[in-house]
Amino acid sequence: MKNTFSLALLHLSFCFTFFALTHISAMELHGHGANLIETTCQRTPFYNLCVSTLRSDPRSSGADVAGLARIGADKLKAKATATLRQITALLKVTKDPKLTTALRQCVDYYNAIVKYDIPEAVEAVVKGDPKFGVEGATDAANEADACGREFKNQPKFPIYGSNKAVHDLSAVVASIVQLLL
Amino acid sequence: MVDTRPFLPVSSSDGSNPSEPLANRCKTMKMRLSIFFGLLVVGLFAALLTSNVTENEHGSLASSTTAKPEPLRRVSRGPGAGVSEKSNWLFGRDDENGVAFPWNNSMLSWQRTAFHFQPERNWMNDPNGPLFYKGWYHFFYQYNPHAPVWGDIVWGHAVSKDLIHWLHLPLAMVADKTYDKSGVWTGSATFLPNGKIVMLYTGSDAQAVQVQNLAYPADHSDPLLINWVKFTGNPVLVPPPGILSKDFRDPTTAWLTSEGKWRFAIGSKINKTGIALVYDTKDFITYEKLDGLLRAVDGTGMWECVDFFPVSKTEENGLDTSVNGPDVKHVMKVSLDDDKNDYYAIGTYHEKNASFIPDDPTIDVGIGLRYDYGVYYAAKTFYDQNKNRRVLWGWIKESDSEAADVKKGWASVQSIPRTILLDQKTGTHLLQWPVEEIDSLRLNSYEFNQVKVQAGSVVPLEVGPATQLDILAEFEIDKEALEKATGSNVTFSCSSSGGTVERGALGPFGLLVLADDSLSEQTPVYFYIAKGSDGNLKTFFCNDQSRSSEASDVKKQVYGSMVPVVEGENLSLRVLVDHSIIESFAQGGRTVITSRVYPTKAIYGAAKLFLFNNATEAGVSASLRIWQMNSAFIRPFPNLDNKSQ
């Protein structure tokens, strides 16, 4: 009996070690979770932003590249929508006419981003014609860029941070969708 | 008893252990437990180590938070990070033009074309199933009924008697079946021997799998072909083994084999190798996939909108798609998903193994000649049995921002349909030329003979309004300067040149289109002759968008390519100017460039036309015939409800 017990314990130990090691290789083989996010984000211009954005969504751990693109687009939509709200809120309280003009232009750019660019990107990824997703996401980055340039000669750029986040995240999404071509 | 379950959870100690009391052997027990825990630690350590390794590969990452605002980088529409990007909005340095352009309605509404096909509003892309039937030319197209960006794709439809004056009809097909729920995508028409039409098209199905479907006119006696029926047995083809569900689209027109079967091709890819699959069918319902591929080329990526057709080596007419023989060459064309350009190769079709062999493998499908060196994609030809010619359609998208497209409410036009022929003089190129019916739009003409344009000068051409023009021009360059010019081994290319500000001894020279009086906005359409160190001359044909507009949110690239000039030929150009689109043809259509431009000042009455010569040494002399062009009055088909359906 004691021999059986020893054998069992030993077997248990080996089994456990084997299990732990194969689990690790399985993770690597299927690009599970963390690894695919990192390799994908390496192909984007803003690695840190890409990784933190994707990881913040629980869906990312089981997602393939198309899934990661989807997550990125969803996060981008949230950020862009919030920024648009920020802009319209500022418009209500701003008295400076130059600032008002700039903000009004940005409303147009952000409408394009939220209502057209991002839905286009999502549809392209989901339906399998990714080049239109690259177009949409790239255009979103360019629209954010255009908004930023409205403030070039202005003393204040109240939405700088959000706008940069939208720009950078758009560029990230465009790069991820590019991988699907 | 040995525990037979292979994997036990880490923390399990659920008594599955069949062993019994241990008290008697305390010492041995401790040893065994230590072994167990030792291995446990090893396992955990191994797990930890592996995940650490991946993290360390990235090392320490540059801090992404900066206190000081930095200029945002404009993102090009080209490949992602890591590839050197030329900003596609601002040519050259960043932020040169500062603030983004505030488009107003006057500028935006000017952009709409007068004689190019476009729907009344919203988005269009690929041409679909073009054909001639019962006196009407039919044009179908990818259309988004809801927005001026791609999405919710259905088939638009229009008809014309002459390929120029189009009348809009109701949508031909919408996404109302499971097999095209996610999109009614591109397809082609085939005429059966009895004169009936079958349409094979790609559906993105409810699971977003790309499948091929059969459709046909509901009523073959309706010349307008308004209603279409989808085959109840759809889909007739699904992605075969080895082909991914999103890499299977855009079936071609079918051609007859000598066995009397129909054969067609459909593009796909395997990893990064672009391929064209081939299928045979007797009835368009059941298909046999051939083992071989029509062609495959490494590194080209997904092949969209494959087109495959014969051209005559001896005649100047078109050929039915099924024609083959010794006096025939075949053309294989693909749209490359990766770089959004259309490429073609001329070669030979071997029916036996359904393969296409290009005449010159160094310029194989996808790595050689392009239909058009500007904005031009998803092109498709059809055999026009009415006039015995092969006609080419091409989708021309916008080069501005989507925000502007949203403001103006539309995006994309089609090129003017072009006849397509083998260039018998070179044998290596195709010739494209606007269909002759466009001449019917010509109004008053202006003639200029042997206008001298000295090196470094600009000559205005008085033609009245300059936004709707058809220009035919011939240039002669000073022969002495040609001979005297020193050659160099510096290679020239339109796209990497500085545009027309970059002066050479023998170029650039040509036309300034959509230019204002002060030339603050201008779009040069021009030649540039480069002399090699061996004395050989190479002629390039380019369009320079870099100063086409003061707006910063439009593309500013220089497009173009080398154009073969045959001994004894003058340099010749045809340019169609139609508001925001310029189609330019060099040497009878041997090299073609289509550009989209969005001037802010050189619009309406302020748009002018000039000759220019920015060469340093050679003078040129130009002879031109220029016509004002009428509108094509493209509009909805009148009184449609009264017509029989």
PDB file of all heavy atoms in Angstrom, chain B residues 10 24 73 85 120 125 141 187 191 208 212 288 311 334 356 448 454 458 470 472 474 537 586 600 640:
ATOM      1  N   VAL B  10      -4.502  22.027 -10.791  1.00  0.00           N
ATOM      2  CA  VAL B  10      -3.364  22.346  -9.937  1.00  0.00           C
ATOM      3  C   VAL B  10      -3.653  22.168  -8.472  1.00  0.00           C
ATOM      4  O   VAL B  10      -2.902  21.567  -7.724  1.00  0.00           O
ATOM      5  CB  VAL B  10      -2.927  23.805 -10.176  1.00  0.00           C
ATOM      6  CG1 VAL B  10      -1.850  24.211  -9.188  1.00  0.00           C
ATOM      7  CG2 VAL B  10      -2.442  23.952 -11.592  1.00  0.00           C
ATOM      8  N   ASN B  24       2.173   5.350   9.378  1.00  0.00           N
ATOM      9  CA  ASN B  24       3.275   4.468   9.749  1.00  0.00           C
ATOM     10  C   ASN B  24       4.598   4.880   9.134  1.00  0.00           C
ATOM     11  O   ASN B  24       5.635   4.611   9.701  1.00  0.00           O
ATOM     12  CB  ASN B  24       2.977   3.029   9.310  1.00  0.00           C
ATOM     13  CG  ASN B  24       1.821   2.469  10.105  1.00  0.00           C
ATOM     14  OD1 ASN B  24       1.413   3.051  11.101  1.00  0.00           O
ATOM     15  ND2 ASN B  24       1.297   1.353   9.663  1.00  0.00           N
ATOM     16  N   ARG B  73       0.840  62.801 -36.469  1.00  0.00           N
ATOM     17  CA  ARG B  73       1.331  62.415 -37.788  1.00  0.00           C
ATOM     18  C   ARG B  73       0.156  62.031 -38.661  1.00  0.00           C
ATOM     19  O   ARG B  73      -0.676  61.235 -38.268  1.00  0.00           O
ATOM     20  CB  ARG B  73       2.272  61.218 -37.635  1.00  0.00           C
ATOM     21  CG  ARG B  73       3.710  61.621 -37.574  1.00  0.00           C
ATOM     22  CD  ARG B  73       4.666  60.478 -37.765  1.00  0.00           C
ATOM     23  NE  ARG B  73       4.081  59.236 -38.125  1.00  0.00           N
ATOM     24  CZ  ARG B  73       3.989  58.197 -37.302  1.00  0.00           C
ATOM     25  NH1 ARG B  73       4.425  58.288 -36.085  1.00  0.00           N
ATOM     26  NH2 ARG B  73       3.446  57.073 -37.702  1.00  0.00           N
ATOM     27  N   GLU B  85       6.473  55.955 -45.109  1.00  0.00           N
ATOM     28  CA  GLU B  85       5.206  56.469 -45.597  1.00  0.00           C
ATOM     29  C   GLU B  85       5.369  57.846 -46.191  1.00  0.00           C
ATOM     30  O   GLU B  85       5.954  58.715 -45.593  1.00  0.00           O
ATOM     31  CB  GLU B  85       4.213  56.607 -44.453  1.00  0.00           C
ATOM     32  CG  GLU B  85       3.949  55.301 -43.742  1.00  0.00           C
ATOM     33  CD  GLU B  85       2.896  55.455 -42.658  1.00  0.00           C
ATOM     34  OE1 GLU B  85       2.542  56.596 -42.325  1.00  0.00           O
ATOM     35  OE2 GLU B  85       2.480  54.413 -42.136  1.00  0.00           O
ATOM     36  N   GLU B 120     -27.035  59.497 -57.931  1.00  0.00           N
ATOM     37  CA  GLU B 120     -27.447  60.827 -57.459  1.00  0.00           C
ATOM     38  C   GLU B 120     -26.819  61.178 -56.127  1.00  0.00           C
ATOM     39  O   GLU B 120     -26.549  62.350 -55.843  1.00  0.00           O
ATOM     40  CB  GLU B 120     -28.967  60.889 -57.350  1.00  0.00           C
ATOM     41  CG  GLU B 120     -29.659  60.781 -58.709  1.00  0.00           C
ATOM     42  CD  GLU B 120     -31.160  60.856 -58.571  1.00  0.00           C
ATOM     43  OE1 GLU B 120     -31.762  59.837 -58.177  1.00  0.00           O
ATOM     44  OE2 GLU B 120     -31.720  61.926 -58.854  1.00  0.00           O
ATOM     45  N   ASN B 125     -18.855  51.673 -55.627  1.00  0.00           N
ATOM     46  CA  ASN B 125     -17.535  51.140 -55.930  1.00  0.00           C
ATOM     47  C   ASN B 125     -17.564  50.274 -57.202  1.00  0.00           C
ATOM     48  O   ASN B 125     -17.933  50.777 -58.267  1.00  0.00           O
ATOM     49  CB  ASN B 125     -16.802  50.521 -54.737  1.00  0.00           C
ATOM     50  CG  ASN B 125     -17.547  49.442 -53.988  1.00  0.00           C
ATOM     51  OD1 ASN B 125     -18.577  49.720 -53.371  1.00  0.00           O
ATOM     52  ND2 ASN B 125     -17.030  48.224 -53.998  1.00  0.00           N
ATOM     53  N   TYR B 141     -23.649  48.310 -60.436  1.00  0.00           N
ATOM     54  CA  TYR B 141     -22.508  48.761 -59.628  1.00  0.00           C
ATOM     55  C   TYR B 141     -22.770  48.529 -58.148  1.00  0.00           C
ATOM     56  O   TYR B 141     -23.920  48.475 -57.698  1.00  0.00           O
ATOM     57  CB  TYR B 141     -22.221  50.247 -59.895  1.00  0.00           C
ATOM     58  CG  TYR B 141     -23.414  51.162 -59.676  1.00  0.00           C
ATOM     59  CD1 TYR B 141     -23.587  51.846 -58.479  1.00  0.00           C
ATOM     60  CD2 TYR B 141     -24.366  51.338 -60.682  1.00  0.00           C
ATOM     61  CE1 TYR B 141     -24.678  52.668 -58.272  1.00  0.00           C
ATOM     62  CE2 TYR B 141     -25.470  52.167 -60.480  1.00  0.00           C
ATOM     63  CZ  TYR B 141     -25.620  52.829 -59.279  1.00  0.00           C
ATOM     64  OH  TYR B 141     -26.698  53.643 -59.080  1.00  0.00           O
ATOM     65  N   GLY B 187     -20.028  40.860 -59.413  1.00  0.00           N
ATOM     66  CA  GLY B 187     -20.289  39.723 -60.280  1.00  0.00           C
ATOM     67  C   GLY B 187     -20.200  40.103 -61.736  1.00  0.00           C
ATOM     68  O   GLY B 187     -20.020  41.276 -62.083  1.00  0.00           O
ATOM     69  N   PHE B 191     -23.462  35.658 -71.534  1.00  0.00           N
ATOM     70  CA  PHE B 191     -24.551  35.420 -72.476  1.00  0.00           C
ATOM     71  C   PHE B 191     -24.557  33.966 -72.886  1.00  0.00           C
ATOM     72  O   PHE B 191     -23.544  33.427 -73.334  1.00  0.00           O
ATOM     73  CB  PHE B 191     -24.390  36.285 -73.734  1.00  0.00           C
ATOM     74  CG  PHE B 191     -24.971  37.650 -73.575  1.00  0.00           C
ATOM     75  CD1 PHE B 191     -24.165  38.728 -73.263  1.00  0.00           C
ATOM     76  CD2 PHE B 191     -26.335  37.863 -73.749  1.00  0.00           C
ATOM     77  CE1 PHE B 191     -24.708  40.002 -73.108  1.00  0.00           C
ATOM     78  CE2 PHE B 191     -26.892  39.134 -73.600  1.00  0.00           C
ATOM     79  CZ  PHE B 191     -26.069  40.199 -73.278  1.00  0.00           C
ATOM     80  N   ALA B 208     -21.011  35.806 -42.998  1.00  0.00           N
ATOM     81  CA  ALA B 208     -19.900  36.522 -43.641  1.00  0.00           C
ATOM     82  C   ALA B 208     -18.947  35.579 -44.375  1.00  0.00           C
ATOM     83  O   ALA B 208     -17.756  35.855 -44.494  1.00  0.00           O
ATOM     84  CB  ALA B 208     -19.124  37.390 -42.639  1.00  0.00           C
ATOM     85  N   GLN B 212     -20.721  32.045 -54.049  1.00  0.00           N
ATOM     86  CA  GLN B 212     -21.098  32.517 -55.387  1.00  0.00           C
ATOM     87  C   GLN B 212     -22.538  32.132 -55.664  1.00  0.00           C
ATOM     88  O   GLN B 212     -22.960  31.014 -55.347  1.00  0.00           O
ATOM     89  CB  GLN B 212     -20.171  31.937 -56.447  1.00  0.00           C
ATOM     90  CG  GLN B 212     -18.686  32.047 -56.119  1.00  0.00           C
ATOM     91  CD  GLN B 212     -18.278  33.399 -55.570  1.00  0.00           C
ATOM     92  OE1 GLN B 212     -18.674  34.434 -56.108  1.00  0.00           O
ATOM     93  NE2 GLN B 212     -17.502  33.406 -54.494  1.00  0.00           N
ATOM     94  N   GLU B 288     -17.399  22.116 -61.472  1.00  0.00           N
ATOM     95  CA  GLU B 288     -16.274  21.232 -61.232  1.00  0.00           C
ATOM     96  C   GLU B 288     -15.049  22.109 -61.100  1.00  0.00           C
ATOM     97  O   GLU B 288     -14.718  22.867 -62.020  1.00  0.00           O
ATOM     98  CB  GLU B 288     -16.174  20.299 -62.451  1.00  0.00           C
ATOM     99  CG  GLU B 288     -14.963  19.408 -62.502  1.00  0.00           C
ATOM    100  CD  GLU B 288     -14.647  19.026 -63.961  1.00  0.00           C
ATOM    101  OE1 GLU B 288     -15.597  19.006 -64.779  1.00  0.00           O
ATOM    102  OE2 GLU B 288     -13.470  18.787 -64.263  1.00  0.00           O
ATOM    103  N   VAL B 311      -7.684  39.286 -76.914  1.00  0.00           N
ATOM    104  CA  VAL B 311      -7.546  40.482 -77.747  1.00  0.00           C
ATOM    105  C   VAL B 311      -6.943  40.051 -79.088  1.00  0.00           C
ATOM    106  O   VAL B 311      -6.132  39.119 -79.130  1.00  0.00           O
ATOM    107  CB  VAL B 311      -6.656  41.575 -77.107  1.00  0.00           C
ATOM    108  CG1 VAL B 311      -7.382  42.270 -75.967  1.00  0.00           C
ATOM    109  CG2 VAL B 311      -5.328  41.019 -76.639  1.00  0.00           C
ATOM    110  N   VAL B 334      -5.917  41.661 -62.722  1.00  0.00           N
ATOM    111  CA  VAL B 334      -6.335  41.501 -61.330  1.00  0.00           C
ATOM    112  C   VAL B 334      -6.340  42.853 -60.639  1.00  0.00           C
ATOM    113  O   VAL B 334      -5.598  43.762 -61.028  1.00  0.00           O
ATOM    114  CB  VAL B 334      -5.408  40.540 -60.549  1.00  0.00           C
ATOM    115  CG1 VAL B 334      -5.450  39.155 -61.137  1.00  0.00           C
ATOM    116  CG2 VAL B 334      -3.995  41.064 -60.485  1.00  0.00           C
ATOM    117  N   PHE B 356      -2.732  30.271 -67.832  1.00  0.00           N
ATOM    118  CA  PHE B 356      -2.334  31.483 -68.543  1.00  0.00           C
ATOM    119  C   PHE B 356      -0.832  31.656 -68.343  1.00  0.00           C
ATOM    120  O   PHE B 356      -0.352  31.632 -67.204  1.00  0.00           O
ATOM    121  CB  PHE B 356      -3.084  32.678 -67.964  1.00  0.00           C
ATOM    122  CG  PHE B 356      -2.576  34.002 -68.454  1.00  0.00           C
ATOM    123  CD1 PHE B 356      -2.907  34.481 -69.708  1.00  0.00           C
ATOM    124  CD2 PHE B 356      -1.759  34.789 -67.637  1.00  0.00           C
ATOM    125  CE1 PHE B 356      -2.429  35.706 -70.161  1.00  0.00           C
ATOM    126  CE2 PHE B 356      -1.280  36.026 -68.083  1.00  0.00           C
ATOM    127  CZ  PHE B 356      -1.622  36.473 -69.343  1.00  0.00           C
ATOM    128  N   PHE B 448      -5.242  75.329 -81.825  1.00  0.00           N
ATOM    129  CA  PHE B 448      -3.972  76.046 -81.633  1.00  0.00           C
ATOM    130  C   PHE B 448      -2.911  75.295 -82.412  1.00  0.00           C
ATOM    131  O   PHE B 448      -2.767  74.090 -82.262  1.00  0.00           O
ATOM    132  CB  PHE B 448      -3.573  76.100 -80.159  1.00  0.00           C
ATOM    133  CG  PHE B 448      -4.605  76.752 -79.278  1.00  0.00           C
ATOM    134  CD1 PHE B 448      -5.642  76.013 -78.746  1.00  0.00           C
ATOM    135  CD2 PHE B 448      -4.520  78.113 -78.994  1.00  0.00           C
ATOM    136  CE1 PHE B 448      -6.604  76.607 -77.933  1.00  0.00           C
ATOM    137  CE2 PHE B 448      -5.475  78.717 -78.184  1.00  0.00           C
ATOM    138  CZ  PHE B 448      -6.514  77.971 -77.661  1.00  0.00           C
ATOM    139  N   GLN B 454       8.708  78.153 -74.716  1.00  0.00           N
ATOM    140  CA  GLN B 454      10.146  78.096 -74.420  1.00  0.00           C
ATOM    141  C   GLN B 454      10.408  77.466 -73.070  1.00  0.00           C
ATOM    142  O   GLN B 454       9.519  77.411 -72.211  1.00  0.00           O
ATOM    143  CB  GLN B 454      10.726  79.513 -74.410  1.00  0.00           C
ATOM    144  CG  GLN B 454      10.778  80.137 -75.761  1.00  0.00           C
ATOM    145  CD  GLN B 454      11.180  81.582 -75.654  1.00  0.00           C
ATOM    146  OE1 GLN B 454      10.950  82.220 -74.616  1.00  0.00           O
ATOM    147  NE2 GLN B 454      11.782  82.102 -76.705  1.00  0.00           N
ATOM    148  N   VAL B 458       5.180  79.633 -69.390  1.00  0.00           N
ATOM    149  CA  VAL B 458       3.789  79.206 -69.300  1.00  0.00           C
ATOM    150  C   VAL B 458       2.992  80.008 -70.328  1.00  0.00           C
ATOM    151  O   VAL B 458       3.193  81.220 -70.446  1.00  0.00           O
ATOM    152  CB  VAL B 458       3.234  79.486 -67.871  1.00  0.00           C
ATOM    153  CG1 VAL B 458       1.739  79.254 -67.819  1.00  0.00           C
ATOM    154  CG2 VAL B 458       3.931  78.594 -66.865  1.00  0.00           C
ATOM    155  N   ASP B 470     -12.421  68.508 -73.516  1.00  0.00           N
ATOM    156  CA  ASP B 470     -11.807  67.364 -74.174  1.00  0.00           C
ATOM    157  C   ASP B 470     -10.627  67.950 -74.944  1.00  0.00           C
ATOM    158  O   ASP B 470     -10.818  68.796 -75.815  1.00  0.00           O
ATOM    159  CB  ASP B 470     -12.810  66.693 -75.119  1.00  0.00           C
ATOM    160  CG  ASP B 470     -12.264  65.432 -75.772  1.00  0.00           C
ATOM    161  OD1 ASP B 470     -11.101  65.053 -75.506  1.00  0.00           O
ATOM    162  OD2 ASP B 470     -13.016  64.819 -76.552  1.00  0.00           O
ATOM    163  N   LEU B 472      -7.115  67.410 -77.181  1.00  0.00           N
ATOM    164  CA  LEU B 472      -6.183  66.573 -77.949  1.00  0.00           C
ATOM    165  C   LEU B 472      -4.946  67.426 -78.203  1.00  0.00           C
ATOM    166  O   LEU B 472      -5.065  68.539 -78.691  1.00  0.00           O
ATOM    167  CB  LEU B 472      -6.796  66.171 -79.299  1.00  0.00           C
ATOM    168  CG  LEU B 472      -7.828  65.061 -79.293  1.00  0.00           C
ATOM    169  CD1 LEU B 472      -8.416  64.871 -80.684  1.00  0.00           C
ATOM    170  CD2 LEU B 472      -7.198  63.745 -78.845  1.00  0.00           C
ATOM    171  N   GLU B 474      -0.579  67.548 -79.334  1.00  0.00           N
ATOM    172  CA  GLU B 474       0.658  66.917 -79.798  1.00  0.00           C
ATOM    173  C   GLU B 474       1.806  67.839 -79.486  1.00  0.00           C
ATOM    174  O   GLU B 474       1.691  69.055 -79.643  1.00  0.00           O
ATOM    175  CB  GLU B 474       0.591  66.676 -81.306  1.00  0.00           C
ATOM    176  CG  GLU B 474       0.115  65.284 -81.631  1.00  0.00           C
ATOM    177  CD  GLU B 474       0.321  64.923 -83.095  1.00  0.00           C
ATOM    178  OE1 GLU B 474       1.231  65.468 -83.739  1.00  0.00           O
ATOM    179  OE2 GLU B 474      -0.455  64.085 -83.574  1.00  0.00           O
ATOM    180  N   LEU B 537      16.713  57.600 -74.803  1.00  0.00           N
ATOM    181  CA  LEU B 537      15.683  58.456 -74.218  1.00  0.00           C
ATOM    182  C   LEU B 537      14.562  57.608 -73.651  1.00  0.00           C
ATOM    183  O   LEU B 537      14.127  56.634 -74.253  1.00  0.00           O
ATOM    184  CB  LEU B 537      15.113  59.385 -75.294  1.00  0.00           C
ATOM    185  CG  LEU B 537      16.099  60.363 -75.927  1.00  0.00           C
ATOM    186  CD1 LEU B 537      15.454  61.048 -77.129  1.00  0.00           C
ATOM    187  CD2 LEU B 537      16.547  61.397 -74.909  1.00  0.00           C
ATOM    188  N   ALA B 586      -1.839  59.014 -72.831  1.00  0.00           N
ATOM    189  CA  ALA B 586      -0.631  59.342 -73.599  1.00  0.00           C
ATOM    190  C   ALA B 586      -0.432  58.317 -74.707  1.00  0.00           C
ATOM    191  O   ALA B 586      -0.740  57.137 -74.534  1.00  0.00           O
ATOM    192  CB  ALA B 586       0.583  59.358 -72.681  1.00  0.00           C
ATOM    193  N   THR B 600      -9.789  74.795 -54.705  1.00  0.00           N
ATOM    194  CA  THR B 600     -10.673  75.658 -53.925  1.00  0.00           C
ATOM    195  C   THR B 600     -10.882  76.985 -54.642  1.00  0.00           C
ATOM    196  O   THR B 600     -11.842  77.696 -54.390  1.00  0.00           O
ATOM    197  CB  THR B 600     -10.053  75.932 -52.549  1.00  0.00           C
ATOM    198  OG1 THR B 600      -8.822  76.641 -52.730  1.00  0.00           O
ATOM    199  CG2 THR B 600      -9.778  74.633 -51.821  1.00  0.00           C
ATOM    200  N   LEU B 640     -40.934  55.901 -65.295  1.00  0.00           N
ATOM    201  CA  LEU B 640     -40.653  54.465 -65.238  1.00  0.00           C
ATOM    202  C   LEU B 640     -41.902  53.646 -64.932  1.00  0.00           C
ATOM    203  O   LEU B 640     -42.089  52.555 -65.427  1.00  0.00           O
ATOM    204  CB  LEU B 640     -39.582  54.196 -64.186  1.00  0.00           C
ATOM    205  CG  LEU B 640     -38.908  52.847 -64.282  1.00  0.00           C
ATOM    206  CD1 LEU B 640     -38.333  52.640 -65.664  1.00  0.00           C
ATOM    207  CD2 LEU B 640     -37.815  52.751 -63.242  1.00  0.00           C
TER     208      LEU B 640
END
